[in-house]
PDB file of all heavy atoms in Angstrom:
ATOM      1  N   LYS H 201      -7.348  -1.062 -13.066  1.00  0.00           N
ATOM      2  CA  LYS H 201      -7.661  -2.180 -12.171  1.00  0.00           C
ATOM      3  C   LYS H 201      -9.063  -2.034 -11.577  1.00  0.00           C
ATOM      4  O   LYS H 201      -9.863  -2.984 -11.584  1.00  0.00           O
ATOM      5  CB  LYS H 201      -6.623  -2.272 -11.048  1.00  0.00           C
ATOM      6  CG  LYS H 201      -6.905  -3.390 -10.037  1.00  0.00           C
ATOM      7  CD  LYS H 201      -5.850  -3.457  -8.967  1.00  0.00           C
ATOM      8  CE  LYS H 201      -4.562  -4.060  -9.501  1.00  0.00           C
ATOM      9  NZ  LYS H 201      -4.726  -5.512  -9.831  1.00  0.00           N
ATOM     10  N   ILE H 202      -9.389  -0.843 -11.084  1.00  0.00           N
ATOM     11  CA  ILE H 202     -10.702  -0.644 -10.462  1.00  0.00           C
ATOM     12  C   ILE H 202     -11.801  -0.557 -11.514  1.00  0.00           C
ATOM     13  O   ILE H 202     -12.927  -1.023 -11.302  1.00  0.00           O
ATOM     14  CB  ILE H 202     -10.683   0.615  -9.578  1.00  0.00           C
ATOM     15  CG1 ILE H 202      -9.628   0.466  -8.468  1.00  0.00           C
ATOM     16  CG2 ILE H 202     -12.050   0.840  -8.944  1.00  0.00           C
ATOM     17  CD1 ILE H 202      -9.838  -0.733  -7.556  1.00  0.00           C
ATOM     18  N   TYR H 203     -11.485   0.007 -12.663  1.00  0.00           N
ATOM     19  CA  TYR H 203     -12.436   0.067 -13.783  1.00  0.00           C
ATOM     20  C   TYR H 203     -12.886  -1.342 -14.173  1.00  0.00           C
ATOM     21  O   TYR H 203     -14.093  -1.617 -14.304  1.00  0.00           O
ATOM     22  CB  TYR H 203     -11.756   0.775 -14.945  1.00  0.00           C
ATOM     23  CG  TYR H 203     -12.502   0.814 -16.260  1.00  0.00           C
ATOM     24  CD1 TYR H 203     -13.768   1.364 -16.365  1.00  0.00           C
ATOM     25  CD2 TYR H 203     -11.888   0.322 -17.419  1.00  0.00           C
ATOM     26  CE1 TYR H 203     -14.419   1.423 -17.603  1.00  0.00           C
ATOM     27  CE2 TYR H 203     -12.534   0.380 -18.653  1.00  0.00           C
ATOM     28  CZ  TYR H 203     -13.802   0.930 -18.733  1.00  0.00           C
ATOM     29  OH  TYR H 203     -14.440   0.987 -19.947  1.00  0.00           O
ATOM     30  N   VAL H 204     -11.952  -2.241 -14.330  1.00  0.00           N
ATOM     31  CA  VAL H 204     -12.274  -3.623 -14.687  1.00  0.00           C
ATOM     32  C   VAL H 204     -12.945  -4.333 -13.507  1.00  0.00           C
ATOM     33  O   VAL H 204     -13.901  -5.096 -13.694  1.00  0.00           O
ATOM     34  CB  VAL H 204     -11.007  -4.389 -15.125  1.00  0.00           C
ATOM     35  CG1 VAL H 204     -11.301  -5.867 -15.344  1.00  0.00           C
ATOM     36  CG2 VAL H 204     -10.439  -3.769 -16.396  1.00  0.00           C
ATOM     37  N   LYS H 205     -12.463  -4.079 -12.297  1.00  0.00           N
ATOM     38  CA  LYS H 205     -13.029  -4.722 -11.113  1.00  0.00           C
ATOM     39  C   LYS H 205     -14.499  -4.366 -10.945  1.00  0.00           C
ATOM     40  O   LYS H 205     -15.335  -5.230 -10.632  1.00  0.00           O
ATOM     41  CB  LYS H 205     -12.249  -4.296  -9.869  1.00  0.00           C
ATOM     42  CG  LYS H 205     -12.614  -5.066  -8.606  1.00  0.00           C
ATOM     43  CD  LYS H 205     -12.168  -6.494  -8.697  1.00  0.00           C
ATOM     44  CE  LYS H 205     -12.408  -7.256  -7.422  1.00  0.00           C
ATOM     45  NZ  LYS H 205     -12.096  -8.694  -7.568  1.00  0.00           N
ATOM     46  N   MET H 206     -14.849  -3.101 -11.145  1.00  0.00           N
ATOM     47  CA  MET H 206     -16.243  -2.690 -11.016  1.00  0.00           C
ATOM     48  C   MET H 206     -17.117  -3.304 -12.093  1.00  0.00           C
ATOM     49  O   MET H 206     -18.290  -3.617 -11.843  1.00  0.00           O
ATOM     50  CB  MET H 206     -16.338  -1.159 -11.058  1.00  0.00           C
ATOM     51  CG  MET H 206     -15.947  -0.474  -9.762  1.00  0.00           C
ATOM     52  SD  MET H 206     -16.992  -0.931  -8.350  1.00  0.00           S
ATOM     53  CE  MET H 206     -18.583  -0.286  -8.861  1.00  0.00           C
ATOM     54  N   TYR H 207     -16.564  -3.484 -13.293  1.00  0.00           N
ATOM     55  CA  TYR H 207     -17.368  -4.171 -14.299  1.00  0.00           C
ATOM     56  C   TYR H 207     -17.624  -5.613 -13.867  1.00  0.00           C
ATOM     57  O   TYR H 207     -18.755  -6.098 -13.911  1.00  0.00           O
ATOM     58  CB  TYR H 207     -16.709  -4.158 -15.684  1.00  0.00           C
ATOM     59  CG  TYR H 207     -17.627  -4.817 -16.683  1.00  0.00           C
ATOM     60  CD1 TYR H 207     -18.726  -4.129 -17.176  1.00  0.00           C
ATOM     61  CD2 TYR H 207     -17.457  -6.156 -17.054  1.00  0.00           C
ATOM     62  CE1 TYR H 207     -19.628  -4.737 -18.034  1.00  0.00           C
ATOM     63  CE2 TYR H 207     -18.360  -6.772 -17.912  1.00  0.00           C
ATOM     64  CZ  TYR H 207     -19.447  -6.064 -18.387  1.00  0.00           C
ATOM     65  OH  TYR H 207     -20.358  -6.678 -19.212  1.00  0.00           O
ATOM     66  N   GLU H 208     -16.572  -6.280 -13.430  1.00  0.00           N
ATOM     67  CA  GLU H 208     -16.686  -7.681 -13.045  1.00  0.00           C
ATOM     68  C   GLU H 208     -17.631  -7.873 -11.864  1.00  0.00           C
ATOM     69  O   GLU H 208     -18.452  -8.797 -11.859  1.00  0.00           O
ATOM     70  CB  GLU H 208     -15.303  -8.222 -12.686  1.00  0.00           C
ATOM     71  CG  GLU H 208     -15.302  -9.684 -12.230  1.00  0.00           C
ATOM     72  CD  GLU H 208     -13.921 -10.170 -11.839  1.00  0.00           C
ATOM     73  OE1 GLU H 208     -13.006  -9.327 -11.678  1.00  0.00           O
ATOM     74  OE2 GLU H 208     -13.740 -11.386 -11.684  1.00  0.00           O
ATOM     75  N   GLU H 209     -17.534  -7.016 -10.871  1.00  0.00           N
ATOM     76  CA  GLU H 209     -18.265  -7.216  -9.619  1.00  0.00           C
ATOM     77  C   GLU H 209     -19.654  -6.589  -9.614  1.00  0.00           C
ATOM     78  O   GLU H 209     -20.478  -6.951  -8.780  1.00  0.00           O
ATOM     79  CB  GLU H 209     -17.452  -6.652  -8.450  1.00  0.00           C
ATOM     80  CG  GLU H 209     -16.089  -7.282  -8.264  1.00  0.00           C
ATOM     81  CD  GLU H 209     -16.154  -8.748  -7.863  1.00  0.00           C
ATOM     82  OE1 GLU H 209     -17.197  -9.182  -7.334  1.00  0.00           O
ATOM     83  OE2 GLU H 209     -15.165  -9.474  -8.084  1.00  0.00           O
ATOM     84  N   PHE H 210     -19.921  -5.651 -10.501  1.00  0.00           N
ATOM     85  CA  PHE H 210     -21.196  -4.933 -10.412  1.00  0.00           C
ATOM     86  C   PHE H 210     -21.925  -4.827 -11.753  1.00  0.00           C
ATOM     87  O   PHE H 210     -23.074  -5.247 -11.869  1.00  0.00           O
ATOM     88  CB  PHE H 210     -20.956  -3.527  -9.845  1.00  0.00           C
ATOM     89  CG  PHE H 210     -22.201  -2.840  -9.361  1.00  0.00           C
ATOM     90  CD1 PHE H 210     -22.563  -2.905  -8.029  1.00  0.00           C
ATOM     91  CD2 PHE H 210     -23.013  -2.122 -10.236  1.00  0.00           C
ATOM     92  CE1 PHE H 210     -23.720  -2.277  -7.570  1.00  0.00           C
ATOM     93  CE2 PHE H 210     -24.164  -1.500  -9.801  1.00  0.00           C
ATOM     94  CZ  PHE H 210     -24.521  -1.573  -8.459  1.00  0.00           C
ATOM     95  N   ILE H 211     -21.255  -4.273 -12.745  1.00  0.00           N
ATOM     96  CA  ILE H 211     -21.945  -3.947 -13.997  1.00  0.00           C
ATOM     97  C   ILE H 211     -22.316  -5.187 -14.797  1.00  0.00           C
ATOM     98  O   ILE H 211     -23.413  -5.267 -15.369  1.00  0.00           O
ATOM     99  CB  ILE H 211     -21.081  -3.010 -14.865  1.00  0.00           C
ATOM    100  CG1 ILE H 211     -20.743  -1.722 -14.101  1.00  0.00           C
ATOM    101  CG2 ILE H 211     -21.796  -2.696 -16.175  1.00  0.00           C
ATOM    102  CD1 ILE H 211     -21.915  -0.821 -13.839  1.00  0.00           C
ATOM    103  N   GLU H 212     -21.417  -6.172 -14.858  1.00  0.00           N
ATOM    104  CA  GLU H 212     -21.678  -7.333 -15.712  1.00  0.00           C
ATOM    105  C   GLU H 212     -22.959  -8.052 -15.312  1.00  0.00           C
ATOM    106  O   GLU H 212     -23.713  -8.528 -16.168  1.00  0.00           O
ATOM    107  CB  GLU H 212     -20.506  -8.312 -15.697  1.00  0.00           C
ATOM    108  CG  GLU H 212     -20.706  -9.457 -16.695  1.00  0.00           C
ATOM    109  CD  GLU H 212     -19.552 -10.426 -16.752  1.00  0.00           C
ATOM    110  OE1 GLU H 212     -18.795 -10.534 -15.760  1.00  0.00           O
ATOM    111  OE2 GLU H 212     -19.397 -11.105 -17.786  1.00  0.00           O
TER     112      GLU H 212
END
Side-chain angles (χ1 to χ4, degrees):
K201 178 179 286 292
I202 300 301
Y203 173 57
V204 173
K205 189 69 175 174
M206 282 299 296
Y207 183 77
E208 179 182 13
E209 300 294 338
F210 196 95
I211 302 292
E212 186 178 24

